[in-house]
Amino acid sequence: MKHKICTLGSHSALQILKGGRDEGFETVLIAEKKRLKPYESFRVADHIIAVDKFADAKDRDDELAAMNAVLIPHASFVNAFSLAEIDELKTPYFGNKKVLAWETDRKKQRQWLAEAGLKLPRIFEKPSDIDTSVIIKFYGAQGGKGYFLAHNQKEFEEKIKQHPDQKYIIQEYIVGAPVYIHYFYSPLTEELELMGFDRRYESNVDSIGRISAKDQLDLNIETSYNIMGNTPLVVRESLLPEIFEMGEQVIAASKKWDSRGLFGPFCLETIVTPDLDFFVFEISARIVAGTNPYIHGSPYSDLRYNKPMSTGRRIAMEIRLAEEQNALERIFN
Ligand code: AMP
């Protein structure tokens, strides 16, 4: 029995299921009852399993395995379960589960990116070390909500009072253009593909420029980075060689930690300075929502494939090729 492409109804599920269909797979969606509407309306799922909350999906593991489903992880998927729960799932999972532990541990993630030779913003272990502008980020999936800037220890101490008992990191604030780079690495062909780029659209930071600096001060606005959408982006063509190199370095570093390393879709989240230096502040080791503007393909996937090729479809294509080559053990966990 052929596999069925399965994911949770949020984040990039529409793209993943549409991509699965386009590659000839049946699709299964696990959706929360309160959020069924778009999935019914867009008709991308052949089977819908409705649950009260995503966490309940783990009780459907046997059913999913019997259907020959393969789970495609995205951010809402990894937030819904603990690493141990994901580890125990019987249903095949597209990707290397070992990478989840590197990604969720901020220290390991940093070590990985540093070993890949990428430029990283500095981290300040204690507030008294702050000697430049910093961004304070809270742990957990809050989509940038509540992040704030500080320029010295005093300002930090003042502002952190509004966030008691929250775990945070203090990171150097890089002034530049945010660029989110979408890659796909195929373990079957050992090729790194560039799928596209996006910018995030965050409230309120992306809209405070609509009012004058005086009004910003009068209103006492604090910037916040709560993501509400993504917009497409193309970059200067002269930057592409370095962008490929950065992705290749990340893959090579991951293979030193584990023989299979990172594969499938991933994203480097960067700020590009006026000197055109890429500072990487995070890696997402799976499909990112910034690929959603490209359900019909990006300019880059159009060059490479000459047919609509979203990242969701690229995942399904990898599964199809692995099925054809009898190589599923190379892409499943
Ligand atoms: P994150 O939750 O880490 O993806 O970051 C959310 C937002 O904060 C994004 O808009 C980034 O552009 C911005 N950001 C994160 N880290 C930095 C940094 N070190 N310097 C400048 N902006 C940053």
Side-chain angles (χ1 to χ4, degrees), residues 106 121 135 137 143-144 147 171-175 178 180 200 202 205 225 269-271 281-282:
R106 282 197 186 259
I135 180 166
K137 302 183 178 184
Y147 287 11
Q171 193 175 77
E172 175 187 11
Y173 185 80
I174 308 289
V175 181
Y180 292 74
R200 291 195 174 170
E202 294 163 335
V205 73
Y225 297 78
E269 313 190 352
T270 73
I271 307 280
F281 60 90
E282 199 159 325

Side-chain angles (χ1 to χ4, degrees), residues 289-309:
T291 59
N292 285 336
Y294 306 120
I295 288 186
H296 207 68
S298 76
Y300 303 94
S301 69
D302 188 46
L303 291 165
R304 178 75 174 66
Y305 287 100
N306 211 21
K307 65 178 178 187
M309 183 59 68

Side-chain angles (χ1 to χ4, degrees), residues 177-188:
V179 176
Y180 292 74
I181 312 172
H182 318 149
Y183 299 98
F184 186 96
Y185 178 70
S186 165
L188 301 177

Side-chain angles (χ1 to χ4, degrees), residues 101-115 120 123 125 139 167 169 257:
W102 314 344
E103 194 194 6
T104 43
D105 177 333
R106 282 197 186 259
K107 281 213 172 96
K108 276 203 191 125
Q109 179 180 134
R110 195 171 166 85
Q111 192 189 341
W112 174 15
L113 297 175
E115 284 181 18
L120 313 178
I123 296 287
E125 297 296 339
Y139 279 52
K167 267 186 94 180
I169 57 160
W257 284 12

Side-chain angles (χ1 to χ4, degrees), residues 143-178:
K145 189 160 185 227
Y147 287 11
F148 65 86
L149 302 187
H151 306 282
N152 50 50
Q153 181 180 0
K154 187 161 168 277
E155 190 178 353
F156 169 83
E157 308 280 8
E158 199 48 50
K159 290 182 173 172
I160 199 71
K161 284 183 194 153
Q162 288 167 30
H163 307 272
D165 305 324
Q166 267 181 281
K167 267 186 94 180
Y168 58 81
I169 57 160
I170 306 173
Q171 193 175 77
E172 175 187 11
Y173 185 80
I174 308 289
V175 181

Side-chain angles (χ1 to χ4, degrees), residues 9-223:
S10 186
H11 190 270
S12 45
L14 292 167
Q15 180 194 162
I16 291 169
L17 298 187
K18 162 93 166 75
R21 278 262 179 89
D22 289 346
E23 287 296 311
F25 290 95
E26 271 184 53
T27 58
V28 185
L29 180 80
I30 302 161
E32 289 183 322
K33 288 175 187 155
K34 58 180 188 268
R35 291 194 187 158
L36 278 173
K37 185 74 191 181
Y39 302 100
E40 289 169 346
S41 171
F42 292 122
R43 294 166 163 74
V44 287
D46 296 305
H47 311 269
I48 294 186
I49 299 176
V51 292
D52 288 322
K53 50 186 191 317
F54 284 144
D56 299 343
K58 60 181 182 298
D59 305 329
R60 315 297 281 262
D61 192 23
D62 288 333
E63 187 184 335
L64 291 170
M67 289 174 91
N68 220 18
V70 47
L71 296 166
I72 313 297
H74 51 51
S76 304
F77 180 94
V78 298
N79 288 332
F81 311 109
S82 68
L83 292 191
E85 285 169 344
I86 294 178
D87 232 13
E88 282 163 14
L89 292 171
K90 276 189 227 143
T91 309
Y93 169 103
F94 176 79
N96 184 348
K97 287 184 185 172
K98 287 196 180 133
V99 174
L100 285 172
W102 314 344
E103 194 194 6
T104 43
D105 177 333
R106 282 197 186 259
K107 281 213 172 96
K108 276 203 191 125
Q109 179 180 134
R110 195 171 166 85
Q111 192 189 341
W112 174 15
L113 297 175
E115 284 181 18
L118 304 180
K119 286 195 197 79
L120 313 178
R122 290 156 63 206
I123 296 287
F124 298 91
E125 297 296 339
K126 344 187 256 303
S128 58
D129 293 342
I130 298 174
D131 62 3
T132 183
S133 298
V134 292
I135 180 166
I136 289 71
K137 302 183 178 184
F138 297 101
Y139 279 52
Q142 304 178 37
K145 189 160 185 227
Y147 287 11
F148 65 86
L149 302 187
H151 306 282
N152 50 50
Q153 181 180 0
K154 187 161 168 277
E155 190 178 353
F156 169 83
E157 308 280 8
E158 199 48 50
K159 290 182 173 172
I160 199 71
K161 284 183 194 153
Q162 288 167 30
H163 307 272
D165 305 324
Q166 267 181 281
K167 267 186 94 180
Y168 58 81
I169 57 160
I170 306 173
Q171 193 175 77
E172 175 187 11
Y173 185 80
I174 308 289
V175 181
V179 176
Y180 292 74
I181 312 172
H182 318 149
Y183 299 98
F184 186 96
Y185 178 70
S186 165
L188 301 177
T189 63
E190 300 193 342
E191 184 185 340
L192 177 81
E193 300 170 24
L194 179 62
M195 302 303 295
F197 302 91
D198 77 288
R199 290 179 65 171
R200 291 195 174 170
Y201 196 40
E202 294 163 335
S203 189
N204 59 8
V205 73
D206 289 319
S207 54
I208 51 180
R210 290 159 54 92
I211 57 175
S212 70
K214 180 179 176 304
D215 287 335
Q216 292 174 26
L217 291 173
D218 290 348
L219 292 170
N220 198 17
I221 288 180
E222 281 289 345
T223 48

